[in-house]
Amino acid sequence: MADSSVEIIEGCRLPVLRKNQENEDEWPLAEILSVKDIPGRKLYYVHYIDFNKRLDEWVTPDRLDLKKLQFPKKEAKTPTKNGLPGSRPSSPERDVRKSLDLNVQSASAPSRGKTLPTPKRKAESVSLATQVTAAIPVPSLPSSAEANQASVYPAMRDSSFSIKSREEHEPLTSLTTNGTTRRLIPSQPGRKRKNCGGTDEMVKVFQNNNPRCSTVYLPPGEDSQDSSDGIPSAPRMTGSLVSDRSHDDIVTRMKNIDCIELGRHRLKPWYFSPYPQELTTLPILYLCEFCLKYLKSLKCLQRHLTKCNLRHPPGNEIYRKGTISFFEIDGRKNKTYSQNLCLLAKCFLDHKTLYYDTDPFLFYVMTEYDSKGFHIVGYFSKEKESTEDYNVACILTLPPYQRRGYGKLLIEFSYELSKVEGKTGTPEKPLSDLGLLSYRSYWSQTILEILMNLKSENGERPQITINEISEITSVKKEDVISTLQYLNLINYYKGQYILTLSEDIVEGHERAMQKRHLRIDSKCLHFTPKDWSKRGKW
């Protein structure tokens, strides 16, 4: 469909032919990011609008629909301070500085006839649930005194169930609690745990006549004191998982490696990775699967393998069960391996920015063992010292091992380490699309497993608090609440919060658990946490 008389330049938008998941033709709108001439024809690197960047690709002219070609709009010239036209558009950083200047002037400078209004900053409650679907508004939680007087109602769903409007009550996502937790589980000797924070948010659970459907009653506690206005602060937008999209250039937006050979696998990278420039023109980039060193040819790889003594990742093996092992690698002691691991991971993580400064991080590499050695399956990294209880910075399962349960195994292992450390943990935000799906699935299965296994004692209905769920699982309380909302379990009924486990949720959970064969066995973990704050150097 391409017309040779029309010159297509970078920045143009037009429909491009591609195959969807059903192998059917579709024409999504795409942006031309680059044009290159090869003998006999041109190739265009396109990004499909509203699609993930890993689908970007080089296309031939016959896949372009020039009838709907949109040329890039010229940026309007912006006036300078002197009122003269300028050519540089304002950047987000300069806008932020301007707004800060306005705040300072309005707060400190005396009024001279006119006052500049201080820009109001909207406080947002950021929840993982909002990234997937809008959470149903849930009334604010009553005080503990009211909770103690709450009565328990029959478990069956009733037509009189009502959820009060957002105007009457605050959404549950804006609630965290403080205080101490009343434990219902025996504490393990010799194990200290940081207090999750929160009053007793009591969940009363009982079975009705149908043993497969239960209702949980949740009389929760007081509002959060985590922030000055009662609204929890947004997740930190810095760290190894976050990149500043305002500084993206045309180079980093394009995949620069065509193919990677890692052991017996050949991988097609999804994103840009800052390998040396001279390697980006090669048809295949070869990696040693044990030390992850990159080489330019198969002959170089074969020569390297005769000298490479590694048959497993460097570091300490802290877990082994069957063929699955985990190795703990210090980013300072094994800097070269850690940097090579980050370069490989960047091929499949769009938001990763950590490549060379690996000193403050620990890397936990999961491997699969056979007669040739320990082959890397995936990994996650975490900060040695995290002030915000992050237990994962980056997490990745390599594409050949995806959709086989290894992602959940990595997540489960990260929380098993948090249990040994006596902390609750959460991954760094924002999560990638695949990361969010994996974490949401893990949180859902873990919480439902606890709720369905609760048993009554002394003839009374079993009860549990959100803080206790957090303490048992080491999942941070905010993630527990957002997961309950995502599953749509929370209802407000006659002055109480109830969690209703429907027949569909119970059956869906049982089916999912039957497919989940890979689990972490805490008895096979040999891990002693270190207090990095007491060490002068890592």
Side-chain angles (χ1 to χ4, degrees):
M1 285 194 174
D3 186 358
S4 58
S5 62
V6 179
E7 183 182 3
I8 303 174
I9 61 174
E10 296 173 2
C12 288
R13 293 191 176 194
L14 73 171
V16 177
L17 176 65
R18 70 178 297 272
K19 298 285 187 181
N20 60 17
Q21 292 180 342
E22 287 76 28
N23 203 31
E24 299 172 348
D25 290 347
E26 62 179 4
W27 292 85
L29 185 65
E31 180 182 352
I32 305 294
L33 297 185
S34 182
V35 182
K36 73 176 178 180
D37 287 300
I38 59 174
R41 61 177 177 173
K42 282 188 174 183
L43 290 179
Y44 302 91
Y45 192 84
V46 299
H47 166 65
Y48 299 103
I49 308 300
D50 297 329
F51 284 71
N52 192 284
K53 279 171 58 179
R54 62 175 169 266
L55 299 178
D56 296 0
E57 59 181 339
W58 289 99
V59 300
T60 53
D62 59 310
R63 292 174 56 183
L64 307 180
D65 183 4
L66 295 182
K67 295 178 182 178
K68 300 178 181 179
L69 178 63
Q70 305 172 16
F71 286 96
K73 296 180 181 179
K74 293 183 179 179
E75 294 180 348
K77 294 183 178 181
T78 55
T80 61
K81 289 184 178 179
N82 299 328
L84 299 175
S87 60
R88 190 172 71 166
S90 62
S91 66
E93 291 82 359
R94 299 218 309 273
D95 291 340
V96 171
R97 285 197 294 268
K98 288 179 183 177
S99 64
L100 290 175
D101 291 341
L102 290 178
N103 285 337
V104 172
Q105 291 175 9
S106 60
S108 60
S111 175
R112 297 180 180 176
K114 283 188 177 181
T115 57
L116 291 173
T118 304
K120 293 184 179 179
R121 182 183 178 185
K122 293 183 180 179
E124 298 182 14
S125 173
V126 180
S127 165
L128 285 179
T130 60
Q131 300 181 36
V132 181
T133 182
I136 295 180
V138 181
S140 61
L141 304 177
S143 64
S144 298
E146 297 177 33
N148 295 333
Q149 301 173 2
S151 57
V152 179
Y153 298 91
M156 295 298 292
R157 286 186 179 270
D158 190 89
S159 58
S160 62
F161 273 58
S162 63
I163 300 177
K164 299 195 176 182
S165 65
R166 185 182 294 270
E167 288 78 10
E168 295 180 69
H169 299 285
E170 292 293 330
L172 188 61
T173 46
S174 66
L175 292 174
T176 53
T177 53
N178 52 29
T180 57
T181 305
R182 182 161 62 88
R183 295 172 57 91
L184 296 182
I185 56 174
S187 59
Q188 299 181 15
R191 176 180 168 197
K192 293 183 180 179
R193 177 180 289 276
K194 286 186 179 180
N195 185 16
C196 300
T199 55
D200 282 340
E201 300 168 345
M202 191 59 61
V203 183
K204 297 185 179 179
V205 187
F206 59 91
Q207 303 288 336
N208 62 3
N209 295 331
N210 183 352
R212 298 178 59 80
C213 182
S214 64
T215 304
V216 182
Y217 283 89
L218 172 65
E222 298 174 352
D223 288 322
S224 168
Q225 300 297 325
D226 290 353
S227 59
S228 57
D229 55 0
I231 300 174
S233 57
R236 182 181 67 169
M237 299 306 289
T238 59
S240 58
L241 195 63
V242 180
S243 62
D244 185 357
R245 312 309 294 178
S246 65
H247 296 294
D248 270 3
D249 57 26
I250 201 65
V251 175
T252 60
R253 290 182 68 184
M254 294 170 51
K255 303 171 194 174
N256 59 336
I257 305 293
D258 289 332
C259 183
I260 293 176
E261 183 169 305
L262 180 69
R264 62 180 180 271
H265 300 292
R266 283 196 174 180
L267 316 177
K268 295 287 288 184
W270 296 350
Y271 307 108
F272 170 88
S273 184
Y275 279 104
Q277 180 68 30
E278 61 269 19
L279 301 179
T280 60
T281 57
L282 300 174
I284 299 177
L285 177 63
Y286 295 88
L287 298 187
C288 171
E289 63 176 326
F290 300 113
C291 71
L292 302 182
K293 181 178 181 180
Y294 45 84
L295 303 115
K296 63 181 181 180
S297 68
L298 181 58
K299 190 172 183 178
C300 291
L301 175 64
Q302 291 170 344
R303 189 163 59 244
H304 165 79
L305 290 176
T306 62
K307 298 180 287 185
C308 183
N309 297 321
L310 280 180
R311 288 298 175 265
H312 59 78
N316 300 322
E317 185 180 9
I318 60 174
Y319 179 91
R320 182 189 291 185
K321 184 177 182 182
T323 60
I324 300 296
S325 294
F326 280 85
F327 290 83
E328 182 184 52
I329 297 160
D330 190 323
R332 183 184 67 85
K333 294 180 180 177
N334 300 282
K335 189 182 290 288
T336 301
Y337 180 90
S338 301
Q339 290 173 350
N340 289 338
L341 178 60
C342 290
L343 286 172
L344 173 62
K346 180 60 187 73
C347 292
F348 307 100
L349 294 174
D350 187 23
H351 295 280
K352 184 174 177 59
T353 57
L354 169 68
Y355 314 121
Y356 303 112
D357 183 19
T358 60
D359 289 16
F361 289 87
L362 295 169
F363 298 84
Y364 295 90
V365 178
M366 179 169 64
T367 63
E368 201 172 47
Y369 175 76
D370 64 13
S371 58
K372 295 183 179 180
F374 294 81
H375 308 279
I376 181 172
V377 172
Y379 90 104
F380 69 88
S381 61
K382 63 185 290 187
E383 293 176 293
K384 294 176 180 177
E385 290 184 274
S386 176
T387 58
E388 302 178 53
D389 292 332
Y390 289 136
N391 65 352
V392 166
C394 291
I395 185 168
L396 171 70
T397 304
L398 291 175
Y401 299 94
Q402 290 178 359
R403 303 188 65 81
R404 291 166 57 181
Y406 290 114
K408 279 198 184 70
L409 198 67
L410 281 167
I411 295 173
E412 186 178 0
F413 188 78
S414 70
Y415 281 108
E416 200 65 39
L417 296 183
S418 295
K419 291 178 185 178
V420 177
E421 293 170 349
K423 303 175 182 177
T424 58
T426 188
E428 276 193 18
K429 314 298 188 302
L431 291 167
S432 66
D433 52 351
L434 297 179
L436 178 62
L437 289 173
S438 298
Y439 266 95
R440 181 64 71 193
S441 177
Y442 172 79
W443 289 333
S444 300
Q445 292 179 11
T446 303
I447 293 171
L448 287 173
E449 197 171 23
I450 289 175
L451 295 180
M452 291 175 61
N453 290 336
L454 286 175
K455 297 179 181 179
S456 59
E457 297 178 1
N458 302 326
E460 296 183 0
R461 296 181 179 115
Q463 49 192 14
I464 191 170
T465 69
I466 286 181
N467 283 331
E468 285 163 355
I469 295 176
S470 176
E471 183 154 333
I472 294 169
T473 61
S474 282
V475 177
K476 205 166 186 180
K477 188 176 57 178
E478 288 77 10
D479 296 331
V480 173
I481 294 174
S482 70
T483 302
L484 293 175
Q485 285 190 312
Y486 171 74
L487 294 172
N488 205 15
L489 299 183
I490 302 177
N491 291 283
Y492 193 66
Y493 179 58
K494 295 187 178 180
Q496 284 186 340
Y497 282 91
I498 62 171
L499 304 181
T500 305
L501 306 181
S502 66
E503 191 81 21
D504 292 340
I505 290 178
V506 172
E507 291 178 355
H509 172 71
E510 290 177 349
R511 285 195 302 269
M513 296 307 291
Q514 288 173 0
K515 297 178 183 178
R516 191 172 163 187
H517 303 296
L518 295 174
R519 299 297 297 268
I520 295 295
D521 185 353
S522 58
K523 297 177 183 177
C524 299
L525 176 64
H526 304 281
F527 170 70
T528 303
K530 299 175 183 176
D531 187 358
W532 297 98
S533 63
K534 294 182 180 179
R535 298 179 174 232
K537 288 186 178 181
W538 291 318

